[in-house]
Every structure is written in C-alpha cells, then in structure tokens.
Amino acid sequence: MEKKYRDNVRNVAVIAHVDHGKTTLVDSMLRQSGLLGDSTDNERVLDSNDLERERGITILAKNTSLEYNGTTVNILDTPGHHDFGGEVERTLIMADGVMLLVDAAEGPLPQTRFVLKKAMRLNLPVIVAINKIDRKDARCEEVLDEVYDLFIEVGEDEANIDFPVLYTDGRAGVAHNELDDGSTDLRPLFDAIVATVPPPEDTRDQSMILQVNNLDWDNFVGRIVVGRVIQGTIRAGQEVFVKGKEGKVVSGKIMRLYMANELGRVEIKQAVSGDIISMAGVEDVTIGDTIVADRETPAMERIEVDEPTMAMNFCVNTGPFAGKDGQYVTSRNLRDRLLREAMMNVAIRVEMTNSTEIFRVIGRGELQMGILVETMRREGYELMLSRPEVVTREIDGKVHEPEERLRIDCDEQYMGAVTQMLGERRAKMLDMNIESGRCTLIYLIPTRGLIGLHSRFLTETRGAGVMNSTFNDWIPKQGEMPGRATGALVSDRQGTATGYALFGLQPRGILFIDPGTSVFEGMVIGETPNGRELNVNCTREKKLTNIRASGKDDAILLSPPKKMSLEQAIEFIGDDELIEVTPKTLRLRKRILSASQRQRFNAK
C-alpha cells in the first residue's frame, strides 16, 4: 500500500550552541510570517520564562507554528546548553528535520557537536545556517570548513555531508543562499525548510498513537501533556489508555485539545498524524509514556536521555534564621516540589536518603542545578545545598566517572597559566591552535575537574577567556583533585555586622557581606588567601570614650564586598560547607555551626 504524506506540514527543530542567535532568528521568522507585526517590542518571544530573559539563554524547549505559502511550519525551539540536554533529546524526537545554527565568528563549539550528534543519531536531515554574518570578525568560509569537518567527525554516513547551507543575519531577518546574493528577507530559509525537511506520513485512518514528550501545567485545566501524534487521529472527549513503565496501563479521557498557534495555544477539536499537540484531562502520565486509543496497541520505546552526571543534596534549612523569608520550608514541601520537577524533567532524578530532611538530586551540571534552585527560591522555597559531586558507576568491576570534552579560547599570554591549571585537574590536551594572538585548546577532563574551575579560569584569564564543555564518555576514576585554594572567614557569633569590625577584617581577606548584614555563628562572611579558616568577630562596635572625636569614624573606607551569584556560590563551597537559599538572600555557612564542635570534629 502506497504511503501518503501531509505535504502542507513541516516539523523542524532549531538547534545551536548557547548565544549563537537561535531565538533572535526565530523572532524574525515569526515577524516575517506576520505573527509579530513590525514592532521590535516583541523580542525573544519564545524565551517566556523570566530566568531565560534575564540570562539570555533558552532553558525550556518550546514550540510554535507559522504559515508559509500554504505550509504550516512547526518550529521546535531547543536549549543550547548541554546541562539541558534532556530538553533537546525529547524535542528532537518530535521533529522531522533540524536547522543547525553556527556563529559566523566562533564556529562550531562543544554544544554544537552535542546537539548535532543527537540529530544524526535520529537520522534527521540538517539545514546549516551560518548566523551573525554581520559581525565584523565573521569568517564564513573558514566556519563552513569547520562545519564540514564536524559532520565528518560526528557522522557515520557520507550522505550526511550533503546538506544545504544558508548565511543568515537573525537580527536583520535576512537569509542568503550565497553571500551577497541580494536577498532582503528570510524566504531562502523558508524555502530550504520546505524543500529539505520531509513531510510527516499521513496515517489518520489508523489507530491513534501519541508519545508524551513534555509536561506543562495550567492553573485552570491542570496538567498539560505535550507530544506528537505518531499515527491516527486524536479527538477531544476521546477515551484513551496510557501505557507507562513496566507495563502499567491506566485509562483516561481527553477533556481539551490544543495546538500551538502564533504565540500561544488555540483549542481544537481533533488533530492527525504529524501534528504537535497539547491535551488536558489525562492526569496519571509521565514523560516517555505512550497514549493509545486501543488497549491492544503496543507501547512505543521509551524516551532515553543521557545519564545525569552530577549530584547535590537539597536539605531543609536548619540555620538560626530558618523560616524568616520562605513560604515553603518543611521537608514535605521540599520533597513534593523536587518529585514534581523529576516528573517534568527526565534529565533530573531525585533519590531519598537516610534522613527525611535531605534529598539527593542528580542532574546534568551546575547550571541546571542553579536554574532549578533559582526557580524554587522565586516560588517561595527555602532550602540548603551541599557541594556538587559527580555520579560514578561500576563498569567491569571498576569505578568509572564521567569525562567532559572541554574547549577553551583565551589570549596567548594566558596559555601557560591555563595549561598548568588544567594539568592539576588531570586534563589531557587533544588539540591546540594559535592564531592572531588567540589560542584554542581542546581537552578531555574528568567532570570532577570542572567543579569550581570556571571562577578560577576567569581569574587566570582576567575575564577574557571562554570555556565550554560537553559530556564525552565514562572513564576509570582518576586520582585526587585539588581543592579550593582559599580559606574562609567565619563569624564566631550571632548579631549584626558593623562597619568598624569589617574595616578591621579587610586585611585578612575578601569580604562577602556589607555592614548591617545579620550574621550567625558558623556563617561564612569572606575568604582568606592562604587556605586557613579564621573565626572572627564581625559584630564588634567601637567603644565610647570621653576623648573620642565625633568625626573619627569618617576615615573608615570599606572595599565593595564580593557578591556571589548562586552558581558562583555552588562553585565556591567546600565539602564542609552549605549554601542557605531563601527568596531574599544567599548565605554561605559551615555544616557544623559551633566553632568548638568543628574543632573537635576536625581533630578526630
């Protein structure tokens, strides 16, 4: 029987490294299709999450659609950072082709390799867009050669090398088949999508099958299931069966059906094979489940994502100031929120521990963990975090740990310091390229070696270096890694920090707090340069005397304190320290608050 196809539908995923202009290009595509109008107020419309807009990165995969010459183009936007690789993998399953964006100056970077490898594993046709051709340092020809090299290295089939190449300026909304061919809009890109991405097969007459690729929440209708109709026709009000893990089958009813339209959802009555839809009404469902119309229809193979490689303990806040800022502070609140996150994100796992107040969260990296914690604190949660540790596994009777492929770009003058720093962390150099005073270094490094590396790397390169990494393989566990080189200034009592006391502590190290900050015993208020831990009094006030001049305190000049972001704090803390996270503040503290108890513990 001859197959039929829906020639008026295309499902394309947009993949790229962080900050290569993916979301800006999608904005221009939507604008030129007539969805956004000519206003520039609607910028980065798919980055709807507050954290996405603040950080300028895509965190959550999303989809929208537009019309081009009678063809519906469903655009699947994916994150570019490998910490959110779980979002990339399950989004690519819904696509029939991908558009790979590469910066015209930076060329392919580690995440470019990561997302391309995922697309090739699914045998998806690729359209390459060399973006940001308006940059003064653009080198389109060299970057195209690097892209070909990457395809040869990643691909297993020579047919993968035959892909269309376009040159785009996402901000201006222009695409060229050849540089300077006179194009003034994105029509060449739309034409390439229609010509390259195959249409979905039309199997609307067969029994319905849909795989759950994502979950969302709506305050009015509850849980929203997102997925692609693999075969058949799905209708609002239809009775369905959900096939979950280990053969579990539950029944449900589709109450409402939605399709991405312009910048939101529009309610529909039915959808057919090839459509990407959302539905409400089916509650007992998780990502990877198969929803079928006929109980006898077999379930699809579950979505498999790369194993998480990093773990952190999320704990109930037990500090002296616990419960003052947060709305959700109990272990039950924390447990329910983490389990909900694990259900919505297949790249995160939550494990119970021996303590009812400590939960082990396993994810992809420090950024993913930081985004989760930042989201929780904005929701009103209060918690504590431990230092990250890598996940190990046993292979052939030996303990193995994850390894990362690390790319570093820095000025040539810093190459020696960077090489020495990475050598201490058991990194192995694969490649080195020096050109015009800039050097590019490629390393393989244990994931453990990346913990706390970013801050020190920026210090060594005076803030002018760029580092990116992606998971490479599992390797036998390497030797010990160097710990933090600096020590900690620790408050030895509870109270309010004074300018007089902090002024006297400035020669001891770098301070983290301002005068007027509430402190408690065991709170880390600064770092020392020599690796020693110092217990200090930061609440001391100047004693009043009969001969004290009234203007004496005017001479106190404090250096601005070092204010850490959540990710910087996660990098900084040691094994004996924790981070207190509340909706209003971040505090660093020792696990054991009492100085005398810490001393006895260390003596043992």
Side-chain angles (χ1 to χ4, degrees):
M1 184 177 177
E2 185 178 354
K3 291 183 178 180
K4 294 188 295 182
Y5 294 91
R6 299 183 62 197
D7 292 325
N8 62 340
V9 176
R10 297 293 187 277
N11 296 317
V12 59
V14 187
I15 59 177
H17 182 87
V18 177
D19 202 31
H20 277 196
K22 170 173 50 64
T23 307
T24 303
L25 181 62
V26 172
D27 276 357
S28 294
M29 294 172 70
L30 293 172
R31 188 170 288 113
Q32 292 190 20
S33 68
L35 296 182
L36 300 183
D38 296 326
S39 171
T40 57
D41 294 336
N42 294 321
E43 292 186 349
R44 290 166 44 216
V45 291
L46 288 185
D47 283 352
S48 54
N49 184 296
D50 288 342
L51 282 173
E52 291 178 318
R53 288 187 169 274
E54 289 173 19
R55 296 170 183 251
I57 61 174
T58 301
I59 297 171
L60 304 173
K62 307 172 195 69
N63 66 292
T64 185
S65 67
L66 55 85
E67 294 288 330
Y68 175 71
N69 290 345
T71 299
T72 299
V73 179
N74 292 315
I75 299 175
L76 302 158
D77 190 18
T78 64
H81 198 286
H82 83 284
D83 276 18
F84 309 106
E87 299 276 336
V88 176
E89 291 163 64
R90 65 176 187 245
T91 300
L92 290 180
I93 292 174
M94 295 191 287
D96 295 310
V98 298
M99 180 169 66
L100 175 68
L101 259 68
V102 182
D103 190 289
E106 295 181 358
L109 292 178
Q111 272 73 39
T112 313
R113 170 194 301 273
F114 171 78
V115 291
L116 179 61
K117 188 182 293 185
K118 299 298 180 188
M120 285 192 164
R121 191 176 295 171
L122 295 170
N123 294 318
L124 298 175
V126 181
I127 301 167
V128 173
I130 297 179
N131 195 33
K132 298 188 179 182
I133 58 174
D134 58 318
R135 287 183 59 161
K136 293 181 180 179
D137 55 350
R139 47 187 190 93
C140 297
E141 293 183 2
E142 293 92 331
V143 167
L144 181 57
D145 289 339
E146 293 174 8
V147 171
Y148 277 117
D149 292 340
L150 179 61
F151 269 77
I152 293 171
E153 182 180 346
V154 172
E156 299 175 358
D157 187 350
E158 292 184 3
N160 292 326
I161 306 300
D162 186 18
F163 52 82
V165 179
L166 294 103
Y167 302 91
T168 60
D169 178 355
R171 186 178 300 172
V174 178
H176 305 274
N177 287 313
E178 300 289 342
L179 283 171
D180 303 322
D181 62 6
S183 174
T184 58
D185 55 26
L186 291 173
R187 289 183 185 179
L189 178 60
F190 288 127
D191 291 335
I193 291 173
V194 174
T196 306
V197 178
E201 188 177 350
D202 190 344
T203 58
R204 66 183 68 196
D205 297 330
Q206 300 180 25
S207 180
M208 188 276 295
I209 300 177
L210 177 142
Q211 187 165 40
V212 180
N213 293 85
N214 207 351
L215 294 174
D216 202 352
W217 182 263
D218 186 282
N219 290 331
F220 297 100
V221 298
R223 182 173 300 172
I224 300 287
V225 175
V226 182
R228 172 176 168 166
V229 184
I230 305 299
Q231 88 177 22
T233 303
I234 189 169
R235 298 178 178 85
Q238 181 178 0
E239 298 282 348
V240 294
F241 298 94
V242 180
K243 300 207 165 185
K245 291 182 179 179
E246 300 174 356
K248 179 183 177 183
V249 180
V250 296
S251 60
K253 184 177 182 180
I254 300 171
M255 304 304 295
R256 296 190 180 183
L257 210 56
Y258 305 94
M259 187 174 289
N261 182 29
E262 300 182 359
L263 305 178
R265 295 190 184 105
V266 60
E267 191 166 351
I268 57 175
K269 295 297 183 183
Q270 70 175 34
V272 298
S273 57
D275 286 334
I276 297 170
I277 58 97
S278 307
M279 70 174 79
V282 182
E283 291 294 328
D284 193 4
V285 61
T286 59
I287 291 172
D289 290 354
T290 304
I291 297 178
V292 297
D294 182 2
R295 193 184 189 100
E296 304 305 318
T297 303
M300 295 182 62
E301 185 177 344
R302 294 191 69 83
I303 298 173
E304 296 292 338
V305 300
D306 286 347
E307 287 290 315
T309 57
M310 191 168 289
M312 289 177 67
N313 286 338
F314 284 50
C315 320
V316 174
N317 188 4
T318 57
F321 299 155
K324 290 188 175 182
D325 298 339
Q327 181 181 357
Y328 307 107
V329 298
T330 66
S331 61
R332 181 178 178 183
N333 295 145
L334 186 58
R335 176 182 177 274
D336 291 347
R337 178 62 180 85
L338 292 175
L339 291 178
R340 189 165 78 246
E341 184 68 27
M343 183 179 65
M344 307 279 278
N345 187 345
V346 291
I348 279 184
R349 293 205 311 260
V350 178
E351 296 179 353
M352 303 299 133
T353 65
N354 294 330
S355 171
T356 57
E357 297 185 345
I358 301 176
F359 306 94
R360 190 167 188 254
V361 180
I362 306 174
R364 286 284 181 89
E366 293 175 22
L367 178 61
Q368 185 191 34
M369 295 291 193
I371 293 293
L372 170 58
V373 175
E374 186 65 38
T375 302
M376 291 176 63
R377 75 183 292 203
R378 294 185 182 202
E379 293 172 357
Y381 286 85
E382 197 171 300
L383 64 149
M384 295 192 303
L385 303 173
S386 71
R387 175 178 168 82
E389 59 183 29
V390 298
V391 178
T392 58
R393 58 166 59 171
E394 191 170 309
I395 302 175
D396 297 330
K398 294 183 178 179
V399 177
H400 282 58
E401 64 178 336
E403 180 185 59
E404 306 269 336
R405 184 184 178 96
L406 175 68
R407 172 178 168 140
I408 283 180
D409 293 284
C410 65
D411 289 337
E412 186 179 354
Q413 59 179 317
Y414 304 126
M415 188 175 70
V418 170
T419 303
Q420 180 180 352
M421 177 178 64
L422 291 171
E424 295 172 356
R425 293 170 178 261
R426 303 188 179 274
K428 300 173 184 175
M429 183 184 291
L430 295 182
D431 192 18
M432 177 176 65
N433 182 36
I434 302 176
E435 186 176 340
S436 303
R438 295 283 293 182
C439 67
T440 301
L441 307 171
I442 307 294
Y443 283 91
L444 291 179
I445 181 173
T447 303
R448 266 188 309 146
L450 295 178
I451 298 175
L453 176 65
H454 190 252
S455 297
R456 187 179 169 194
F457 171 75
L458 290 179
T459 301
E460 296 287 358
T461 60
R462 307 298 187 268
V466 179
M467 59 178 282
N468 294 282
S469 67
T470 185
F471 175 78
N472 183 65
D473 200 359
W474 292 89
I475 59 172
K477 188 169 182 179
Q478 308 296 294
E480 292 298 319
M481 295 285 176
R484 188 176 76 207
T486 58
L489 287 172
V490 185
S491 174
D492 64 0
R493 67 198 65 197
Q494 186 165 325
T496 302
T498 64
Y500 176 73
L502 295 180
F503 181 74
L505 294 176
Q506 277 190 146
R508 305 278 189 95
I510 300 173
L511 298 174
F512 296 160
I513 62 172
D514 293 303
T517 302
S518 297
V519 299
F520 54 80
E521 183 181 6
M523 179 172 163
V524 178
I525 63 165
E527 64 177 326
T528 62
N530 55 12
R532 293 176 55 201
E533 178 184 309
L534 292 178
N535 295 301
V536 296
N537 179 6
C538 62
T539 66
R540 185 160 56 99
E541 298 179 354
K542 187 167 184 178
K543 302 300 180 185
L544 294 175
T545 66
N546 291 332
I547 59 173
R548 194 181 98 174
S550 61
K552 192 79 171 178
D553 289 340
D554 293 345
I556 291 180
L557 294 175
L558 289 173
S559 300
K562 179 180 178 181
K563 297 289 187 179
M564 290 191 184
S565 66
L566 180 59
E567 282 80 16
Q568 289 172 328
I570 290 174
E571 282 192 356
F572 175 82
I573 59 172
D575 293 331
D576 64 336
E577 294 165 347
L578 298 168
I579 307 171
E580 282 190 14
V581 181
T582 78
K584 295 181 181 178
T585 58
L586 288 176
R587 302 186 190 95
L588 306 184
R589 52 161 284 181
K590 291 293 182 179
R591 285 181 183 269
I592 303 174
L593 296 181
S594 169
S596 58
Q597 290 181 17
R598 275 201 312 276
Q599 197 170 14
R600 286 197 295 269
F601 179 82
N602 293 333
K604 292 180 181 178

